[in-house]
């Protein structure tokens, strides 16, 4: 029965992750078609700009991780862990930042609106739900978290360098021409804080959600310590000296006869010789 349930869960995980990967690829294909049909700059420049967006790169990572899990639900490996965490953190930050900051920047219509909804809303929500439901866990540790920061830092460096050369920035809050490096640095720190919070949330969830790292068992004491503790718990026998003092009154009560009431009578008790009775002494 357990194996049947486990097999059903694996199959559901494969179907879910495969569907997420197909959804991302479909949205990127539609976006690429729109990119070819519209625009005033050369097509090559349009695609460079398209794949310079953090949103697009996050969705590409999601597609790679989703298809790999569809093929092997228990996939693991040091590089794959970093890729998986980057996909989780990147797509989550995409959803949060777009919803709170960028949603009203560019009014869209038609297929552009559809791809926007998929890349910024549907995919982030689906990825988090899939991670909560299927894992796999555990797949996160401190080293994975640190290495996962390499991609966002590299993206920021590339964006600033590309913007200084081409005069184009993918997002308004990182536009140095408009805001200057001081404001852009503050905005980058704010986004980095969101990245750190997301990474910490996935790290903790990886440990404490079902399937996470097992709890450490209580430390067992050595046999010598256990023996010493058991001996301390047992009542100690009293020493012979203490027993002697405690039993002395009882022994005296049993073996020593109490003097009769007439012990002070001048007459000698019956059977006791008088001092002058020579015959009794002999």
């Amino acid at each position: 029965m357990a194996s049947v349930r486990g097999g059903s869960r694996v199959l559901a995980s494969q179907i879910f992750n495969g569907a997420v990967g197909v959804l991302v690829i479909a949205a990127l294909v539609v976006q690429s078609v729109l990119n070819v049909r519209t625009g005033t700059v050369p097509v090559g420049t349009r695609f460079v700009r398209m794949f310079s967006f953090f949103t697009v790169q996050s969705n590409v990572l999601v597609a790679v991780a989703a298809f790999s899990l569809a093929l092997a639900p228990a996939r693991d490996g040091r590089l794959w862990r970093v890729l998986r965490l980057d996909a989780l953190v990147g797509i989550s930050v995409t959803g949060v930042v777009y919803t709170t900051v960028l949603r009203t920047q560019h009014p869209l219509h038609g297929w552009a609106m559809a791809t926007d909804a998929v890349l910024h809303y549907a995919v982030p929500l689906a990825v988090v739900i899939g991670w909560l439901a299927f894992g796999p866990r555990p797949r996160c540790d401190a080293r994975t978290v640190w290495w996962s920061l390499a991609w966002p830092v590299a993206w920021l460096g590339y964006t600033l360098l590309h913007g200084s050369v081409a005069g184009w920035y993918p997002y308004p809050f990182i536009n140095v021409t408009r805001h200057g490096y001081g404001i852009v640095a503050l905005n980058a720190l704010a986004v980095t804080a969101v990245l750190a919070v997301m990474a910490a949330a996935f790290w903790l969830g990886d440990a404490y959600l079902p399937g996470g790292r097992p709890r450490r068992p209580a430390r067992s004491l050595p046999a010598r310590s256990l023996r010493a503790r058991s001996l301390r718990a047992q009542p100690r026998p009293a020493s012979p000296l203490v027993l002697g003092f405690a039993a002395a009154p009882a022994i005296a009560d049993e073996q020593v006869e109490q003097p009769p009431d007439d012990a002070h009578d001048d007459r000698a008790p019956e059977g006791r010789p008088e001092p002058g009775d020579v015959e009794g002494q002999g």
Side-chain angles (χ1 to χ4, degrees), residues 24-25 28 51 54-66 83 87 91 119:
V24 172
I25 295 300
L28 291 177
F51 285 95
F54 190 86
T55 295
V56 174
Q57 293 186 17
S58 298
N59 276 273
V60 169
L61 292 175
V62 166
V64 174
L83 183 147
I91 203 64
L119 298 177

Side-chain angles (χ1 to χ4, degrees), residues 166-247:
W168 177 87
Y169 297 89
Y171 301 106
F173 66 86
I174 205 171
N175 191 326
V176 176
T177 304
R178 180 183 302 177
H179 302 294
Y181 281 101
I183 299 298
V184 168
L186 292 177
N187 293 337
L189 286 176
V191 175
T192 302
V194 177
L195 284 166
V197 170
M198 290 295 179
F202 286 117
W203 187 8
L204 292 175
D206 188 77
Y208 291 101
L209 286 174
R213 291 190 294 272
R215 306 277 76 78
R216 292 183 178 180
R219 293 178 58 186
S220 57
L221 295 174
R224 182 179 301 176
S225 299
L226 290 175
R227 193 181 306 114
R229 178 173 290 185
S230 63
L231 290 176
R232 286 197 300 268
Q234 295 177 359
R236 295 184 178 180
S239 65
L241 183 61
V242 174
L243 289 175
F245 278 114

Side-chain angles (χ1 to χ4, degrees), residues 2 21 26 79 83 128 132 141 175 208 224 245 257 265 270 277:
L79 180 60
L83 183 147
V128 174
L132 290 172
D141 51 23
N175 191 326
Y208 291 101
R224 182 179 301 176
F245 278 114
E257 296 181 358
D265 193 355
E270 189 174 344
D277 192 352

Side-chain angles (χ1 to χ4, degrees), residues 34-127:
L34 295 175
N35 203 34
V36 171
R37 291 183 176 180
T38 59
T40 57
V41 298
V43 174
T45 303
R46 298 178 206 170
F47 276 98
V48 169
R49 292 182 177 182
M50 173 182 167
F51 285 95
S52 295
F53 281 93
F54 190 86
T55 295
V56 174
Q57 293 186 17
S58 298
N59 276 273
V60 169
L61 292 175
V62 166
V64 174
F67 281 129
S68 66
L69 287 174
L71 296 174
R75 184 178 295 275
D76 197 1
R78 190 168 300 280
L79 180 60
W80 186 87
R81 290 187 176 197
V82 175
L83 183 147
R84 169 68 164 166
L85 185 58
D86 274 332
L88 288 169
V89 173
I91 203 64
S92 301
V93 172
T94 294
V96 170
V97 174
Y98 187 82
T99 302
T100 57
V101 178
L102 302 174
R103 181 175 55 184
T104 60
Q105 297 294 327
H106 303 287
L108 301 173
H109 306 280
W111 283 106
M113 181 183 293
T115 57
D116 178 80
V118 170
L119 298 177
H120 292 104
Y121 296 104
V123 174
L125 185 61
V127 168

Side-chain angles (χ1 to χ4, degrees), residues 155-174:
W155 175 84
L156 177 62
Y158 159 78
T159 300
L160 295 177
L161 179 61
H162 179 251
S164 64
V165 173
W168 177 87
Y169 297 89
Y171 301 106
F173 66 86
I174 205 171

